[in-house]
Amino acid sequence: MAKVLSYEDGVAAVYGGAILGGGGGGLLEEGFKLVEEIFAAGAPQLVDIMELDQEDLVACVAMVGAPSAVDQYISSEQLCWSYRSMNMYCDQRLKGIITNENGAITTINGWLQSVLLNVPVVDAPCNGRAHPTGIMGSLNLHEQQAYQSVQFYAGGKDDFAVQGFVEGNLQNTAKTARQASILAGGLVGVTRNPVTIDYLQQHGAPNAISMAIELGYRFLNGQTFEEKLANVLEQLNGVHIVSGEVKDYSLTKENGFDVGKLSVGDYHLTFWNEYMTLSKEGKMQSKFPDLIMTFDREKMLPIPSASIKEGMHVAVIHVDQSDLILSSTMHNQALLQKIDEVIKDVR
């Protein structure tokens, strides 16, 4: 039986999702804005994957774009259009919504559609942490022989408004949706890649939404920053790496992504939307899909890479990938090799 989610669950999901975003997955303020919109419309439903039949179909909803884009816009009508269009394409067979990843916005992707369309969100996102590329959230479907990706996308307003449909191999359809996000001013909502529950169990991240909600409550229960951080580290079996002033921060937009770097103390971080590497004195300490995350010590908030400012005082944590709920894509070396190509010039 589906669980009816509360407003407090929504707030917790934003905080927990932001932490599991690992530097990406959207901005806190946008997540809170979406929570207000969701619960003004009603209460979303969250269903355990085990309550659905193995052959039931679900489709992924995602926000595609650069977190720092200033002209980004998407409406509830655009979100619902992409899901309805996909359901029509699937002959009305969709039984639920899944999100692509955990993040301040992405954990609650699909909650508004759940309310407006009376469709449950399935507690099994494509990945239990945030990731930069669409194909990393595509459940390794690109390795299925002759698989054709289907994606409906919409976003932007006024002269930036776009909507459309693309079908083809996963690499090309993901690039098309990314290009559409640029044309839309920085963001599009996408419904894509229907899969069976059986396939999702094998390649997705069952229970990762519940994990984000629990993590958010743990964070909020702390009274001081030290308590909040300790609660997070206890749940995730993580480590506090360093605290200090942000130096040498840079961010550039490349092909719809945020790419950059920063230093805290003796540690150097790179990001491609999400934090990719953590090194000290030229020696690699951690690399994606390990979770590397920053927290604003003064505001006592998790802070993504796009919101970091030079001189800000932050804490940096690390969580080994073995302590996360991850998609099968996070063990696909062919997908992970792209990281080195992107960040080589910002190290």
Side-chain angles (χ1 to χ4, degrees):
M1 184 174 180
K3 174 186 177 182
V4 177
L5 295 166
S6 68
Y7 176 86
E8 291 74 19
D9 292 333
V11 172
V14 171
Y15 279 108
I19 297 167
L20 292 169
L27 308 179
L28 275 174
E29 53 267 33
E30 294 300 324
F32 295 139
K33 187 186 301 182
L34 183 54
V35 166
E36 296 296 331
E37 185 176 0
I38 291 166
F39 288 93
Q45 309 163 56
L46 184 69
V47 65
D48 189 285
I49 192 171
M50 300 303 293
E51 296 192 30
L52 297 173
D53 294 334
Q54 294 292 289
E55 295 306 311
D56 282 344
L57 281 183
V58 295
C60 173
V61 298
M63 302 290 194
V64 174
S68 67
V70 296
D71 294 320
Q72 60 179 251
Y73 172 86
I74 191 163
S75 69
S76 60
E77 290 81 6
Q78 289 168 325
L79 293 174
C80 288
W81 176 86
S82 69
Y83 183 85
R84 284 197 187 102
S85 298
M86 179 64 81
N87 199 20
M88 290 177 62
Y89 180 92
C90 294
D91 297 325
Q92 308 293 332
R93 291 179 57 209
L94 294 181
K95 300 297 185 181
I97 295 168
I98 58 174
T99 185
N100 60 316
E101 63 183 17
N102 267 321
I105 296 178
T106 51
T107 295
I108 58 174
N109 275 348
W111 290 26
L112 184 58
Q113 295 95 310
S114 173
V115 172
L116 297 177
L117 301 174
N118 194 29
V119 177
V121 174
V122 181
D123 190 0
C126 295
N127 198 6
R129 60 149 302 148
H131 50 259
T133 66
I135 200 164
M136 288 182 181
S138 296
L139 303 168
N140 273 331
L141 287 167
H142 65 293
E143 295 188 339
Q144 302 297 306
Q145 189 173 8
Y147 180 80
Q148 291 286 289
S149 171
V150 180
Q151 304 200 24
F152 289 87
Y153 57 84
K157 64 179 177 180
D158 301 328
D159 290 342
F160 289 106
V162 298
Q163 67 180 42
F165 159 76
V166 60
E167 183 174 8
N169 73 55
L170 270 164
Q171 294 281 8
N172 287 339
T173 56
K175 288 177 182 177
T176 301
R178 176 67 58 175
Q179 183 62 31
S181 77
I182 297 171
L183 296 174
L187 188 70
V188 290
V190 179
T191 303
R192 64 192 183 200
N193 304 338
V195 294
T196 64
I197 290 298
D198 178 60
Y199 189 88
L200 183 61
Q201 282 180 314
Q202 297 177 53
H203 295 277
N207 303 313
I209 301 300
S210 294
M211 179 181 183
I213 294 172
E214 180 185 355
L215 182 62
Y217 277 122
R218 292 289 300 276
F219 178 81
L220 289 167
N221 285 341
Q223 298 302 306
T224 64
F225 178 75
E226 285 70 23
E227 288 179 358
K228 291 177 181 293
L229 197 64
N231 289 347
V232 168
L233 295 176
E234 181 181 25
Q235 179 169 335
L236 297 179
N237 194 30
V239 178
H240 175 206
I241 298 295
V242 64
S243 287
E245 183 179 345
V246 172
K247 297 181 179 179
D248 304 319
Y249 179 79
S250 69
L251 181 155
T252 58
K253 294 182 179 67
E254 298 181 10
N255 301 315
F257 295 95
D258 293 337
V259 179
K261 64 180 180 178
L262 65 138
S263 296
V264 181
D266 295 332
Y267 289 86
H268 184 69
L269 292 77
T270 65
F271 57 87
W272 177 24
N273 283 10
E274 291 73 27
Y275 291 114
M276 293 290 115
T277 62
L278 174 70
S279 59
K280 182 179 182 181
E281 298 174 350
K283 184 177 180 180
M284 189 71 66
Q285 305 288 312
S286 177
K287 189 174 183 179
F288 181 95
D290 286 356
L291 186 74
I292 305 161
M293 185 54 187
T294 44
F295 293 78
D296 184 333
R297 294 190 63 95
E298 294 178 1
K299 294 183 178 179
M300 299 196 299
L301 295 173
I303 184 164
S305 60
S307 298
I308 295 284
K309 304 294 182 185
E310 189 83 15
M312 182 179 287
H313 288 268
V314 302
V316 180
I317 71 166
H318 167 262
V319 180
D320 189 83
Q321 59 190 276
S322 63
D323 291 303
L324 303 171
I325 304 175
L326 297 178
S327 165
S328 60
T329 58
M330 296 292 94
H331 307 290
N332 189 323
Q333 292 305 310
L335 298 183
L336 299 179
Q337 284 175 1
K338 181 69 174 177
I339 294 169
D340 291 331
E341 299 173 24
V342 172
I343 66 172
K344 66 180 186 299
D345 294 329
V346 297
R347 287 182 178 175

